[in-house]
Amino acid sequence: MQKISTVILSTGNQINNADEFFSSSVKVLEYAAFQIASDLKAGIRLDSFEIYKIALQSEIPRTRSYDHELKTTEFAFEHALGRIFVHLHILLGESRIEPINSSSLENLSINPWWNPQSWLKFVSAWTPNIIPATMSDQIIASCIKTLRVERSNTSTLANNSLELARLALALKREAIGRECLVLAARHTLGYGWRKDTTFSELFDAIQFCSGHGVGNIADWLRRVAPFVDDVFDFSEREIRHIPGWYVKLLAKHVPERIVDEFEYHMKQQNWGILPNILENFVVQSDLNSVADTFFLKCLASHECIEAIAKRSETDTRFTRLLEEQKMYFGGEPMAPRDESSTPTERKPIEIEYSKFQPDNLNELYIELKDELKVYDADEFINSWISYWNDAGCGVELVSAFERFWDRHTEFPYLMRRALGRIFSLSHKLQGARKAYKWAVRDIRANNHWARWSGRLAEESLNKYGRIYSAEWQTLLTDTTVGEQIGVRENGWIIVPSCQLISYLLEAEQSDLACQITEIMVSSLEDEISHLPISPLHWQKVPVPIEQISARLLLLYYKWPDRYVRRRTSMQIAELLNNDMDFRPLYLEHLSAQKYETDISDLLSILTLTDQNLFSGEELSTAIKFPSILSRQILRELGYKSQNESTSKYFSALTAADYSDSSLITRSRDGIAPVYFSTINGLGRKLNYPLEKHLTAEWNLISARQPFLFFSPYDFSGDYFYRQDPIACSFSTNAETLLTSASLRTLAFASDAYELSTEQIALYAANLLPFSNLLGKLLPASKPKNWPKFDTFEKNEALPSKEDLDDMLYRLSSTDMVILCANGPVSREISGVNCDLSIYTVFVENEYFDDPKRLYLSASGAIKSDEISVYPLATNAFPNYLGRFEIDFLLRGLFQPEFSIGNGSRTIISENDSLSYISDDKCCAKWKYWADSWYPVFPKDIGPALGTYLETPRKVFDQLTQDLDGSSYMVANLTILDKRDYLREGNKTEIYALRLL
């Protein structure tokens, strides 16, 4: 038995599934039986919770896994412990086992296998007398406290409250039981599960008031703001439109709070609502602030670009902005995944309108109902009415429907929707007074006052409210009172609904509409008052209107999209150049940063400005967490820095502070290994475990502010499913935290091993956001004749070898020769995605072999002694590349493998290209372009941008004219077919070459 104990204690953390857990739990129980029996035999009085102590000592893990079988097995073990506990107390009595006392709770609180409510429920059913009253009160009170702050759907909370009430009453704790019943009642009668449409109706009412320019919209929005954020914690998720609805109203009525909303949701990483906030900023922007245009230039989402396009229809300033956006982000942004539902198939009605005259309306009804078995004939009946009305039979139609109404005690469902059309005919031909009865009939027969009655009901009520505004009370009474009106169909009689608000506004009763809306807001506040709603996240003082876009721009710099962050850095630099009022906001934002990398990222923007805009003292004062990188940036900017010790840049840690961390392991997921492999390599060189120091630094600085892990699937949920294998272009908070820890670790290594400033600068170079060479570089156009595929239909053939041959022919027939290129050709979320990669190579002899082999040799994927291949350009891997520039490396930072003249070569960064200069002549230009930019893409293809290196035809001819051999353009077309909802996609590759 002692051996069993050893096995459990040493292998408890290796449990991965239900079978392994079951095997280990049986061993724990066998050991428990042996240990308890031994103690009893030795005359030792058992601890009252002995069985739980043994379970804790065994270290068998409580995983609380999402694996159903494992979770069920863990619950079975938990229940077994409760049964054993009860049986021990029944069998042994107080002489052999300690009685239960309240002090036992202190030790049990850390035991993962002791569930107080479950334990109390089980014990009270068998041996309630062994539980001290104070202990049961303490446990139930603790459960109530936990329940009050629990976030779950309110039906579950109500049931849990009833369970607690039942438990308290079983233990004869009536006062506590009554408290639980009150809580259950509040969850039942308050805002609850399956009742969340009340929130939608409230927003409908606020929207109606907004549309009519009445009501205290700003105050109503402030009062509902916290619940907008928390509603999905307590209710079903069928009202996903509400946060966007709230933001739309906020941008219109309280625009100064858009900054608060954006900052809050950025911290919470609520990627579903953030695009709505930005879109509504675009909708409301008047471009009056200097920062407006600079901020709008950074927005890349489909929603924002569509909003800018909409504004450009009436404002030419937005036209220019739209053109610039499309140039930078590569045309129209990729649209979200189409999730429209399949259209409802309607049974065709093939009846000639002339077959049934108005007098034969009843016969038409019988034909539709009994012969054709039609359920929905609204479209046909409206067309039939239009046919006979155009024939001059409008009055006859009204009379026919009058007789039809009298003929049926309950007006047939199939014909009800036509009542509104008959009202319109009567109103036009007979006047409002005679048409009144048709308005009443339409409202009552179609239940327009009922909840969920639809858009047609709303439009009808609004129409009747306008026409009968002088008799609005009479119409309201006539349509809501009577034997045919039931509470079930007209719940708004008990709780005011949005239809009533809309009706009153159209009837010019705005004061009454506002009063009822206020009641609806107050009712909601009362219904949720018992829920643990988050506090309002607005700042005490709203942002001045003129600062909204400037503050949003600074916050937007943390948008996780690398390409967008690069664009934002340029716009912040331009705004610093052009707006002196923005500079204090920049310093304020800089002073709020709590991670070294965030500080360095903001300081790096100053390298893009025209001149130094701040004093060294201003910047030093604003930097709360300096680093070796911030010091390096300030020196490069020309600021004199004191020769201060690097000891202030890292934590005073010893080997005793070093430990493993699962959190930092998780944080590395999706982050380029270079950001931590550099530390590992330096640690090996110095023979010191720097990776452990990095982990310790990470643990310390992660506590500076709340930290959330980034989910690329949450960000791209409108584009990709969680099952889709994806790649990303992100620079996230996890990267910021890890690189900050790297900077602190480098500072430690510099101090401990006296590394030179040059050495440290070399190790820290790739932690910068962008490089001096590429920092200001703008996108260019694609290579001339670069192919672009249209959308592939479901059964359309994929590109072939002949198609690729044709592409090479057109690409090689221009005045610029492509030396290297890699970029997208087609992008479809659930369709065909294509990438094209090209190398131009020189071969000593003519090449007649496989194009694939030549391509792989040119790209360096294979080496062959049988063929001499000389690429005219290769992919460079510079150590100066910034974190926001990784996508250029993924596509290719190509550089020529030749020079002209004396052999020396320089690189000049121009507006949209890197020019390679030899002998005062440009021998090649490297450029990049975006293609419907989006930062997430299928993993088997590259990002939504391309790069290429090209040379003038004259330079190419001069280079090759004296060479004895042949030049070829060789290409690879990668095709990923994701049609038919394929998760992985069918990947194929085609190769081709062309003699130049």
Side-chain angles (χ1 to χ4, degrees), residues 245 289 331 553 599 643 864 909:
W245 203 347
S289 169
L553 178 62
I599 291 170
N643 294 321
S864 175
S909 180

Side-chain angles (χ1 to χ4, degrees), residues 695-743:
T695 299
E697 291 281 10
W698 190 96
N699 289 332
L700 288 173
I701 62 178
S702 63
R704 291 178 185 169
Q705 62 186 23
F707 171 73
L708 298 175
F709 286 102
F710 176 80
S711 168
Y713 289 102
D714 287 346
F715 184 93
S716 61
D718 290 340
Y719 292 82
F720 295 94
Y721 297 104
R722 291 189 177 274
Q723 303 93 322
D724 292 333
I726 58 174
C728 308
S729 299
F730 287 129
S731 178
T732 66
N733 278 337
E735 179 185 291
T736 298
L737 195 52
L738 188 63
T739 51
S740 296
S742 295
L743 286 172

Side-chain angles (χ1 to χ4, degrees), residues 226-251:
F227 196 48
V228 170
D229 297 324
D230 293 352
V231 61
F232 301 118
D233 291 339
F234 303 102
S235 191
E236 59 187 332
R237 298 170 180 264
E238 295 180 1
I239 51 171
R240 283 296 186 184
H241 61 284
I242 280 186
W245 203 347
Y246 160 79
V247 167
K248 184 177 181 178
L249 288 165
L250 196 74

Side-chain angles (χ1 to χ4, degrees), residues 231-388:
V231 61
F232 301 118
D233 291 339
F234 303 102
S235 191
E236 59 187 332
R237 298 170 180 264
E238 295 180 1
I239 51 171
R240 283 296 186 184
H241 61 284
I242 280 186
W245 203 347
Y246 160 79
V247 167
K248 184 177 181 178
L249 288 165
L250 196 74
K252 179 180 178 181
H253 295 278
V254 203
E256 62 272 20
R257 292 302 182 180
I258 283 292
V259 177
D260 294 330
E261 291 293 331
F262 187 78
E263 182 174 18
Y264 171 78
H265 290 292
M266 279 286 286
K267 290 178 180 178
Q268 299 299 315
Q269 299 191 21
N270 294 328
W271 306 114
I273 188 61
L274 284 163
N276 292 112
I277 296 175
L278 298 174
E279 177 190 4
N280 281 285
F281 173 81
V282 176
V283 171
Q284 298 298 330
S285 176
D286 53 16
L287 297 185
N288 287 338
S289 169
V290 177
D292 284 353
T293 302
F294 292 99
F295 177 51
L296 292 180
K297 286 181 180 180
C298 303
L299 305 182
S301 71
H302 179 263
E303 298 86 351
C304 289
I305 300 301
E306 278 203 332
I308 292 174
K310 185 69 174 177
R311 296 294 304 275
S312 70
E313 295 175 2
T314 56
D315 191 332
T316 56
R317 296 176 300 170
F318 284 90
T319 303
R320 294 191 296 272
L321 178 62
L322 181 63
E323 292 172 354
E324 188 171 343
Q325 290 295 83
K326 288 186 175 181
M327 179 60 194
Y328 189 87
F329 294 109
E332 297 288 342
M334 188 166 63
R337 181 178 58 240
D338 183 13
E339 293 187 338
S340 57
S341 58
T342 304
T344 303
E345 292 187 8
R346 298 179 182 272
K347 187 175 182 179
I349 301 175
E350 298 177 353
I351 300 177
E352 292 292 334
Y353 299 138
S354 59
K355 181 179 179 181
F356 294 94
Q357 296 185 9
D359 287 343
N360 304 121
L361 177 60
N362 195 64
E363 288 77 5
L364 173 61
Y365 167 66
I366 293 172
E367 176 81 8
L368 293 170
K369 176 177 176 291
D370 297 333
E371 298 298 327
L372 298 180
K373 308 294 184 183
V374 173
Y375 177 75
D376 182 355
D378 293 348
E379 185 177 342
F380 172 80
I381 294 172
N382 279 329
S383 298
W384 179 80
I385 292 173
S386 296
Y387 174 83
W388 287 107

